[in-house]
């Protein structure tokens, strides 16, 4: 596997990332529950990363600050998108690992996402306990996953996930 170049997202990256998101999710993108959270708070550029190939953006992951009940220092991961011709080269997993490591280093306690357990499980995500945490919109609870950067934090989370706008 060749080395994957990852750097923090920069403001100029937005058009390219928006293009990847539109291609991956289509016109229904903004109806997804995860996008409702992102309407409440912008993603955090310092926790959002791009993978670069020959000076073009090959893949992107964004993290948005959230609260769940009273619990703070959490983020919602997504969207994770890879340029379709570059799928299955390890970009997606490399970006998730990089984002989790950066979050962990900076004291983030938990990272939640809506996604496929077979893909995200090996990256450190487990299902949230059933019925305690909800997205602000329809979401299959089996797809609501958490990476516990603080041991056991998933058991303490209860409530609706809300975007946390900067103070
Ligand atoms: C899902 C996505 C991010 C994966 O990125 P990627 O760079 O292609 O994935 P990686 O190279 O890191 O990993 C590839 C492996 O994951 C597997 N995989 C991909 N999507 C999967 C899924 N939904 N469930 C289980 N396994 C999956 C592939 O089959 C491949 O397996 P292999 O290594 O045994 O061949 C990418 O396909 C994508 O952008 N999809 C469209 C947007 C999307 O659905 N994003 C996720 C929203 S939560």
């Amino acid at each position: 596997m060749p080395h994957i170049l990852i750097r923090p997202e920069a403001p100029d990256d937005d058009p390219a990332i928006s293009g990847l998101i539109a291609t991956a999710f289509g016109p229904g993108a903004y109806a997804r529950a995860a996008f409702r959270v992102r309407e409440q708070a912008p993603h955090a550029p310092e926790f959002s990363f791009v993978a670069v190939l020959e000076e073009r953006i090959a893949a992107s992951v964004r993290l948005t600050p959230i609260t769940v009940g009273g619990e703070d220092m959490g983020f919602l991961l997504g969207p994770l998108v890879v340029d379709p011709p570059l799928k299955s080269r390890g970009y997606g997993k490399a970006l998730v690992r990089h984002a989790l490591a950066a979050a962990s280093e900076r004291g983030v306690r938990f990272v939640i996402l809506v996604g496929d357990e077979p893909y995200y499980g090996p990256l450190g995500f487990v299902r949230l306990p059933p019925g305690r945490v909800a997205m602000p919109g329809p979401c299959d609870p089996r797809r609501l996953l958490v990476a516990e950067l603080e041991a056991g934090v998933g058991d303490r989370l209860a409530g609706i996930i809300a975007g946390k706008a900067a103070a």
Side-chain angles (χ1 to χ4, degrees):
M1 182 76 62
H3 178 70
I4 293 176
L5 182 65
I6 294 176
R7 63 163 172 77
E9 179 182 329
D12 287 356
D13 296 331
D14 197 59
I17 295 170
S18 298
L20 288 183
I21 293 170
T23 305
F25 296 105
Y30 295 93
R32 296 162 73 99
F35 278 86
R36 294 195 194 169
V37 173
R38 293 181 210 121
E39 277 169 6
Q40 296 165 344
H43 68 279
E46 68 274 27
F47 290 103
S48 300
F49 299 92
V50 293
V52 178
L53 179 67
E54 292 166 1
E55 294 178 24
R56 285 187 47 241
I57 291 179
S60 149
V61 67
R62 285 175 161 174
L63 268 69
T64 300
I66 55 169
T67 56
V68 184
E71 299 290 346
D72 221 338
M73 287 305 284
F75 281 80
L76 182 73
L77 184 149
L80 171 68
V81 282
V82 177
D83 193 12
L86 300 174
K87 282 184 183 179
S88 288
R89 294 194 190 183
Y91 284 104
K93 289 178 184 173
L95 275 180
V96 173
R97 286 199 185 99
H98 191 93
L100 284 184
S104 181
E105 261 174 30
R106 295 180 223 170
V108 172
R109 300 171 60 218
F110 58 94
V111 176
I112 289 175
L113 61 77
V114 180
D116 292 333
E117 196 179 14
Y119 184 76
Y120 290 104
L123 296 167
F125 287 83
V126 295
R127 278 192 209 179
L128 278 158
R132 293 170 49 105
V133 176
M135 291 291 284
C139 166
D140 178 348
R142 290 168 301 184
R143 291 171 52 77
L144 200 50
L145 310 177
V146 64
E148 299 178 303
L149 304 182
E150 175 187 292
V153 69
D155 292 332
R156 294 193 282 280
L157 298 177
I160 297 180
I161 296 169
K164 183 172 183 278

